Amino acid sequence: MPKFTPRVFSGIQPSGGLTLGNYLGAIKRFVEMQDAGTHETVYCMVDLHAITAELAQPEKLAHNTRELCAGFIASGIDPEKSILINQSQVPEHAQLAWIFNCVARMGWMQRMTQFKDKAGKHAQNASLGLFAYPALMAADILIYHATHVPVGEDQKQHLELTRDIAIKFNHDFGVDFFPETEPVIEGAATRVMSLRDGSKKMSKSDPSDMSRINMTDDADAIAAKIRKARTDPEPLPSDMDGLTDRPEARNLVNIYAALAEITPDAVLSDHGGKGFGDFKPALADLAVARLGPIGSEMSRLMDDQPEIDRILARGAERAREITAPILKRTYDIVGMVG
Ligand code: AMP
Ligand code: TRP
């Protein structure tokens, strides 16, 4: 294996508001990896992925893309330290994706659980793009020769596919060109659950707004959603073993731990024995203290769209210094003349 530059890549779809799940499972960790300074970091709004589910909504897509960019920056992504891009502005992503469509096998794609979940009973009516989605995701990562990808638990299977594509490409052409990228799925909040149902992931697509905390929610909304979150009548135990069959309680403890940057066991050593009547207000105060400033910074940034667009144009320029040579080399390996 050649030595690859330590490089982090990750992406989020501009398909609606950002949730606390996106923040704790993804963006907060993106910021930590950026600030650690051990890797180059590239973060992306994946607009080409967003249109696999919903296409003819141009104003909404543009708004969501800029809002996501504001969310990244308000959360601490520094467009000087990291490369911050919108996927469609770096055409090499889509170009490499086509090659990967020809590397990946139908059988591999048919096993993808996210496709099955998203297409549901209407698979015949899903877009071809939704089916090919994981090959584009592999291209996002491998067009940077990224070595590490921080994501939430739900993306694990897509990262395994990314490795399978890299291995097959390298093997078929007898090269050591693409790295076998490592997923980074860490922390107390790799799977933040719905506030209404502890068996479902917190998601921007859940019909109930009470099921999630949005990054743009104000202090009153955050506090009300936590107060009304579903729980059980038992007090909190003194360690995590006591939460095995209590998914809603476990979720709130994990959220507290991730926001406070302590372990779930440390939360329980402080709050064990308390009922939710005491714990929920403490969690609400913490959530408001952490998320409030991010929400207001997002709305401030959204008032200066030309600045957001300049940041994205500059990000794309920097990204292409990495992606253009990797695409050129890929085309050479494949035998494309030019
Ligand atoms: P998406 O909004 O589906 O594009 O997801 C963007 C990132 O947020 C991915 O890394 C997801 O794994 C992560 N993510 C989304 N929802 C959650 C959740 N409920 N808990 C933890 N991570 C999440
Ligand atoms: N599929 C990811 C999600 O829904 C988003 C994504 C697209 C991504 N390309 C990526 C994540 C590359 C990490 C790396 O969350």
Side-chain angles (χ1 to χ4, degrees), residues 9-11 13 46 49 114 133 137 140-141 149 151 155 158:
F9 180 93
S10 198
Q13 298 188 61
V46 290
H49 277 112
Q114 183 170 297
Y133 176 118
M137 178 162 162
D140 294 337
I141 296 166
V149 178
V151 277
Q155 295 302 311
H158 288 160

Side-chain angles (χ1 to χ4, degrees), residues 85 87 101 112 157 175 180 194-195 204 211 221 223 230 240 264 283 295 297 300 310 321-322 334:
I85 53 164
Q87 190 182 30
N101 283 345
M112 294 294 117
Q157 196 186 32
V175 292
E180 287 175 37
S194 155
L195 299 178
K204 50 195 157 203
S211 72
R230 192 170 144 191
M240 285 303 277
L283 177 58
E297 179 63 4
R300 195 191 64 76
R310 266 194 302 278
E321 288 170 17
I322 302 173
V334 173

